[in-house]
């Protein structure tokens, strides 16, 4: 029996999708499934998001895995393609591509394709990562429109850099720039990621791109998913494997980084960075045992973590379930204790963890 387990609540997933639809009722939904659906299981999640209008992944292999898994809805490659030899693969598997670079534009123009590709032209309005420069937009758009290898309807998109912070006006600046460039194009527009959907309703275009929020996690700074009405989809648990008595001033764990100030008991639990739990989680990072919070002590090791359960351990036994994050302990809170972001925690869950998909 595996100790660490990730319960995936498919009902919560579907409820999060319905909430997303309510927030942007006039927009089509491109559900983002990159990085193994943010660690939740690529094909299984797609199979339970069939009310979405399309799916988005980062790379071709993710898209092909969805097709192999029986997914027939439109799939958009958020990073586009990387070589001209990819284009026949895109066409054969009905994949849509982002164009953000001159090499991609030239590859499409020079290709000998049996039918046209559906293209999304990405404009860099301030993220400064991928996308054509604003002054290049008309040139790229015109060449795509003239290419027989491009379907007539070209989608236009951008990506927000600071939408998680409603106090930062950069999102407003990006919107103004984007709309000034594309206003006369009459093309389908896509701006809002999860943070845009929640924090910037005026950014809801013809398409929205929910990612993190589908999994019940808040994309906004200082918030947790439940505050938006979202429901956590992943519940990471393990078991207590030992109860250990520690005397006052005895050190615990690698590096002897923590010493007990008084006699106490520890619950040793079967999970660690080998399962994807953050190694740098601070002393005091909470876990939940029998509906009560307890704090981590000592260093997180590969397979085990020590939990301070106080001087009266009678209410905790070997074999008890421990919630590492989930409905009773937001992953956002754990991420803060580990000085990281919830995206990383969800994506870092390793294959050693067993997955159980639950549907009410």
């Amino acid at each position: 029996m595996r100790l660490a387990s990730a319960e995936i609540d498919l009902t919560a997933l579907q409820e999060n999708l319905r909430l997303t639809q309510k927030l942007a009722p006039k927009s089509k939904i491109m559900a983002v499934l990159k990085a193994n659906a943010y660690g939740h299981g690529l094909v299984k999640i797609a199979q339970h998001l069939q009310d979405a209008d399309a799916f988005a992944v980062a790379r071709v292999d993710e898209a092909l895995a969805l097709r192999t898994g029986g997914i027939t809805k439109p799939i958009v490659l958020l990073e586009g393609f990387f070589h001209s030899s990819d284009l026949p693969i895109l066409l054969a598997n009905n994949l849509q591509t982002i164009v953000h670079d001159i090499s991609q534009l030239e590859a499409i123009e020079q290709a000998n394709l049996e039918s046209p590709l559906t293209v999304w032209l990405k404009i860099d309005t301030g993220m400064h990562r991928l996308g054509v420069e604003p002054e290049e937009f008309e040139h790229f758009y015109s060449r795509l429109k003239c290419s027989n290898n491009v379907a007539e309807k070209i989608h236009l998109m951008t990506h927000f850099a600071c939408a998680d912070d409603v106090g930062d006006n950069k999102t407003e600046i990006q919107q103004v720039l984007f709309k000034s460039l594309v206003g006369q194009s009459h093309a389908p527009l896509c701006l809002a990621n999860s943070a845009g959907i929640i924090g910037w309703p005026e950014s809801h275009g013809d398409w929205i791109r929910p990612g993190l929020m589908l999994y019940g996690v808040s994309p906004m700074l200082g918030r947790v998913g439940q505050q938006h009405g979202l429901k956590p989809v992943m519940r990471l648990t393990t078991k207590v494997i030992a109860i250990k008595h520690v005397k006052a001033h005895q050190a615990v764990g690698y590096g002897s980084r923590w010493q007990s100030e008084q006699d106490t008991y520890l619950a040793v639990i079967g999970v660690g960075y080998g399962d994807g739990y953050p190694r740098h989680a601070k002393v005091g990072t909470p876990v939940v045992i029998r509906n009560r919070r307890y704090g981590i002590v000592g260093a997180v090791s590969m397979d085990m973590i020590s939990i301070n359960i106080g001087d009266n351990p009678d209410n905790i036994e070997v074999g008890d379930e421990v919630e590492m994050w989930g409905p009773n302990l937001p992953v956002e809170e754990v991420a803060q204790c580990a000085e990281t972001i919830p995206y990383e925690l969800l994506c870092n869950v390793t294959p050693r963890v067993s997955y159980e998909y639950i549907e009410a």
Side-chain angles (χ1 to χ4, degrees), residues 266-289:
L266 306 180
V268 182
I269 63 176
V271 69
Y273 61 79
D275 305 283
Y277 194 82
R279 180 175 177 269
H280 297 294
K282 298 177 181 178
V283 169
T285 299
V287 303
V288 176
I289 309 174

Side-chain angles (χ1 to χ4, degrees), residues 122-123 125-127 129 157-161 174 191 193 209:
K122 186 169 189 176
I123 306 168
T125 58
M127 182 73 168
R129 189 176 61 180
M157 68 185 303
T158 193
H159 192 57
F160 294 141
Q174 287 190 257
L191 297 86
N193 54 5
R209 303 187 308 276

Side-chain angles (χ1 to χ4, degrees), residues 212-352:
L212 190 67
M213 66 184 297
L214 292 176
Y215 309 102
V217 182
S218 175
M220 310 306 292
L221 292 178
R223 306 275 282 178
V224 299
Q226 292 95 321
Q227 291 173 304
H228 307 299
L230 299 167
K231 296 186 177 180
V233 174
M234 181 188 290
R235 181 173 182 260
L236 183 67
T237 66
T238 187
K239 303 287 186 183
V240 175
I241 62 173
I243 304 294
K244 177 76 172 178
H245 182 249
V246 176
K247 294 181 180 179
H249 308 301
Q250 286 187 326
V252 173
Y254 288 119
S256 297
R257 298 175 186 171
W258 181 82
Q259 291 186 3
S260 174
E261 294 180 357
Q262 58 191 28
D263 288 7
T264 191
Y265 287 87
L266 306 180
V268 182
I269 63 176
V271 69
Y273 61 79
D275 305 283
Y277 194 82
R279 180 175 177 269
H280 297 294
K282 298 177 181 178
V283 169
T285 299
V287 303
V288 176
I289 309 174
R290 295 196 179 188
N291 298 314
R292 181 177 173 184
R293 289 189 173 203
Y294 298 91
I296 288 175
V297 294
V300 173
S301 55
M302 184 182 293
D303 313 298
M304 292 174 282
I305 302 173
S306 296
I307 310 298
N308 188 356
I309 58 175
D311 58 4
N312 183 13
D314 294 343
N315 61 330
I316 295 179
E317 300 176 352
V318 170
D320 279 351
E321 183 181 76
V322 184
E323 184 174 311
M324 308 305 296
W325 64 67
N328 302 301
L329 178 57
V331 68
E332 297 95 327
E333 186 176 344
V334 180
Q336 186 176 19
C337 290
E339 297 184 343
T340 184
I341 55 177
Y343 299 81
E344 184 176 23
L345 299 190
L346 297 173
C347 290
N348 280 357
V349 176
T350 70
R352 187 165 76 168

